[in-house]
């Protein structure tokens, strides 16, 4: 397969349906994601500490729901669980649009958290059931690029549209976010209504069915630990550690921070498919090791901006950090979900993806806490040092994972029998 056309032709019809609407679906999320805490604090007048606590409900509820959600996916199928999750998302966004009391906002954010808890394992299980083999890794990468495109464009539109002096503008973006969820609902009730992810377990299935059995596998332990640390040092810092360091230590403008996020999205969208061609046929653990080095370099680059605060060099360094970091993302996102799904079997795929989701969300929760403690106490150098050490630790964990993972789950093709 060569290029996007070859990839698209190789996809089954269900895979095309799933992929063709990703950017549109996530446009609504992009409209609200950067502005929810601004809405709660500046528009609805909630205390900033209360607003931050309310925002934390999404991640906490998502983490709590992930485990039971994975079990339900394996028992009743991803399609049914996703429909319930999307219904919760629609209700949550609608409640937020008109939330003038903290209790109403809390209920809305809890419902959004329910969707977050089941959507990651649900959609990954759905993808894995219709896209197999080498194509699966490519799919996860392209899906990630389109997801970032939708969120990025949504964020730009939202930035131009919303106005804290006009609460109705925030009501509109939350209702648009709710309406965007109707697109995947329509797919699940229409073209994808026959897709089945659940299956009956077999007595000789070596992968095991329960969470206890899954977590006893050394490969699962190592890839989950790697995922947790990657999220701690990566996405856990994107909404906390990075902007706080950029503002307090590098002393750049908010406009520079916003432009850096735009560069992040642009790099992912432009380079993801090229990266997929580069990593094709390579061991996924080796790709993770390269990603660890790239991320370590990006954090060192950001740390250097603290040596020249409030200068053009600092602004360039902050923007460059996000570009280099984004390149690392294009290496990570195709590989980790593919590893989990290649380790899984059809009857426990939901639980494997739930383990992945839990590790992801755990790191995303712990990251901002660590950043707040270190940067809040003026320990910017220690913060950067911790990020670099964690990145190098990811490389070590990738090597440990390589010794424990089946070759096929590591992206190594099965050897073909010799011709007679």
């Amino acid at each position: 397969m060569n290029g996007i056309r070859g990839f698209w032709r190789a996809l089954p019809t269900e895979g095309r349906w799933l992929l063709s609407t990703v950017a549109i679906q996530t446009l609504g999320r992009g409209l609200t994601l950067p502005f929810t805490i601004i809405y709660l604090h500046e528009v609805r007048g909630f205390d900033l500490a209360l607003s931050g606590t309310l925002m934390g409900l999404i991640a906490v509820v998502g983490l709590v729901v992930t485990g039971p959600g994975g079990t339900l996916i394996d028992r009743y199928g991803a399609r049914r669980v996703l429909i319930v999750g999307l219904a919760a998302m629609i209700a949550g966004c609608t409640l937020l649009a008109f939330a003038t009391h903290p209790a109403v906002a809390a209920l809305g954010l809890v419902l959004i958290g329910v969707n977050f808890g089941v959507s990651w394992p649900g959609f990954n299980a759905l993808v894995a059931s219709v896209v197999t083999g080498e194509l699966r890794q490519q799919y996860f990468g392209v899906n990630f690029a389109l997801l970032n495109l939708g969120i990025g464009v949504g964020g730009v539109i939202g930035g131009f549209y919303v106005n804290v002096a006009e609460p109705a503008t925030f009501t509109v973006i939350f209702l648009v976010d709710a309406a965007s969820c109707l697109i995947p609902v329509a797919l699940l009730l229409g073209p994808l209504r026959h897709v089945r992810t659940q299956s009956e377990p077999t007595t000789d299935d070596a992968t095991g069915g329960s969470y206890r059995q899954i977590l006893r596998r050394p490969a699962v332990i190592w890839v989950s630990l790697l995922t947790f640390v990657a999220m701690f040092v990566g996405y856990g810092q994107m909404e906390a550690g990075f902007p706080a360091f950029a503002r307090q230590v590098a002393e750049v403008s908010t406009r520079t921070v916003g432009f850096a996020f735009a560069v992040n999205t642009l790099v992912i969208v432009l380079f993801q498919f090229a990266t997929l061609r580069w990593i094709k046929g390579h061991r996924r653990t080796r790709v993770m090791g390269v990603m660890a080095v790239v991320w370590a370099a990006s954090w060192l680059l950001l740390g250097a901006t603290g040596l020249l605060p409030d200068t053009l060099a600092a602004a360039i360094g902050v923007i460059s950090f996000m570009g280099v970091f984004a390149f690392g993302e294009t290496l990570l996102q195709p590989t980790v979900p593919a590893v989990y799904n290649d380790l899984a079997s059809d009857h426990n795929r939901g639980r494997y993806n739930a383990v992945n989701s839990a590790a992801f969300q755990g790191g995303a929760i712990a990251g901002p806490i660590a950043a707040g403690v270190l940067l809040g106490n003026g320990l910017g150098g220690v913060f950067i040092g911790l990020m670099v050490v964690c990145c190098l630790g990811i490389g070590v964990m990738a090597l440990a994972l390589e010794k424990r993972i089946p070759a096929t789950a590591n992206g190594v093709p099965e050897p073909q029998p010799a011709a007679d």
Side-chain angles (χ1 to χ4, degrees):
M1 293 178 296
N2 296 313
I4 187 68
R5 292 182 180 178
F7 168 75
W8 184 257
R9 285 196 298 267
L11 283 177
T13 302
E14 295 84 358
R16 294 178 186 178
W17 274 113
L18 279 168
L19 199 62
S20 62
T21 58
V22 168
I24 302 174
Q25 293 173 36
T26 54
L27 183 69
R29 190 62 194 146
L31 283 171
T32 59
L33 185 63
F35 308 110
T36 302
I37 194 165
I38 295 173
Y39 167 71
L40 295 175
H41 177 54
E42 298 187 35
V43 177
R44 295 308 184 190
F46 303 159
D47 179 78
L48 186 58
L50 174 60
S51 299
T53 302
L54 289 171
M55 288 290 294
L57 286 173
I58 297 177
V60 172
V61 172
L63 185 60
V64 171
V65 168
T66 291
T71 301
L72 291 173
I73 288 167
D74 287 332
R75 183 171 299 175
Y76 300 108
R79 195 178 68 87
R80 294 177 182 176
V81 176
L82 284 170
I83 290 172
V84 173
L86 288 164
M89 183 72 177
I90 292 170
C93 289
T94 304
L95 282 172
L96 267 184
F98 303 100
T100 56
H101 191 278
V104 178
L107 178 58
L109 291 164
V110 165
L111 290 171
I112 291 173
V114 169
N115 179 62
F116 275 36
V118 300
S119 62
W120 179 282
F123 274 110
N124 278 2
L126 201 67
V127 168
S129 68
V130 299
V131 182
T132 59
E134 189 179 274
L135 201 62
R136 185 181 288 166
Q137 176 173 284
Q138 292 181 297
Y139 186 100
F140 283 126
V142 175
N143 182 78
F144 176 66
L146 291 175
L147 185 148
N148 273 272
L149 177 62
I151 291 178
V153 172
V156 171
I157 295 173
F160 280 105
Y161 176 71
V162 296
N163 186 342
V164 294
E166 298 180 21
T169 59
F170 286 87
T171 299
V172 168
I173 63 171
F174 281 107
L175 291 178
V176 171
D177 194 3
S180 67
C181 295
L182 296 174
I183 298 171
V185 169
L187 289 179
L188 294 168
L189 294 176
L192 304 179
R193 65 185 181 278
H194 300 303
V195 176
R196 179 181 173 88
T197 58
Q198 72 275 32
S199 67
E200 294 299 324
T202 57
T203 56
D204 61 345
D205 196 327
T207 61
S210 70
Y211 281 114
R212 179 177 297 180
Q213 290 172 303
I214 291 170
L215 292 172
R216 281 177 178 170
R217 299 187 69 187
V220 174
I221 294 172
W222 280 103
V223 72
S224 297
L225 182 60
L226 185 152
T227 300
F228 174 86
V229 176
M231 295 311 105
F232 173 86
V233 78
Y235 300 109
Q237 305 305 332
M238 287 302 98
E239 294 182 22
F242 161 68
F245 187 95
R247 291 285 295 147
Q248 296 178 16
V249 183
E251 298 181 14
V252 301
S253 67
T254 54
R255 181 177 298 179
T256 298
V257 174
F259 190 68
F261 275 99
V263 168
N264 178 272
T265 299
L266 185 64
V267 169
I268 291 170
V269 172
L270 292 180
F271 288 96
Q272 182 67 84
F273 210 88
T275 303
L276 286 170
R277 290 197 299 270
W278 177 72
I279 67 176
K280 181 180 178 181
H282 291 275
R283 294 178 186 270
R284 290 166 181 161
T285 49
R286 306 285 174 87
V287 176
M288 295 174 193
V290 174
M291 181 277 298
V293 174
V294 171
W295 271 9
S298 72
W299 282 110
L300 287 171
L301 181 60
L302 182 65
T305 65
L307 302 175
L308 298 167
D310 194 23
T311 63
L312 178 60
I316 293 173
V318 165
I319 294 168
S320 300
F321 160 78
M322 280 297 250
V324 177
F325 183 87
F327 178 70
E329 290 180 80
T330 66
L331 299 172
L332 178 70
Q333 287 300 330
T335 51
V336 170
V339 166
Y340 276 100
N341 281 282
D342 284 352
L343 287 171
S345 60
D346 288 340
H347 83 269
N348 58 22
R349 196 173 301 283
R351 276 162 283 189
Y352 268 83
N353 281 292
V355 171
N356 180 17
S357 179
F360 186 107
Q361 293 182 64
I365 292 172
I369 295 173
V373 171
L374 293 174
L375 295 175
N377 286 283
L379 300 174
V382 176
F383 170 74
I384 294 295
L386 177 62
M387 296 300 108
V388 173
V389 169
C390 286
C391 289
L392 298 179
I394 292 171
V396 173
M397 285 183 276
L399 293 177
L401 175 62
E402 185 169 312
K403 298 176 182 178
R404 295 164 176 84
I405 191 174
T408 51
N410 202 13
V412 180
E414 295 183 353
Q416 298 297 321
D420 293 333

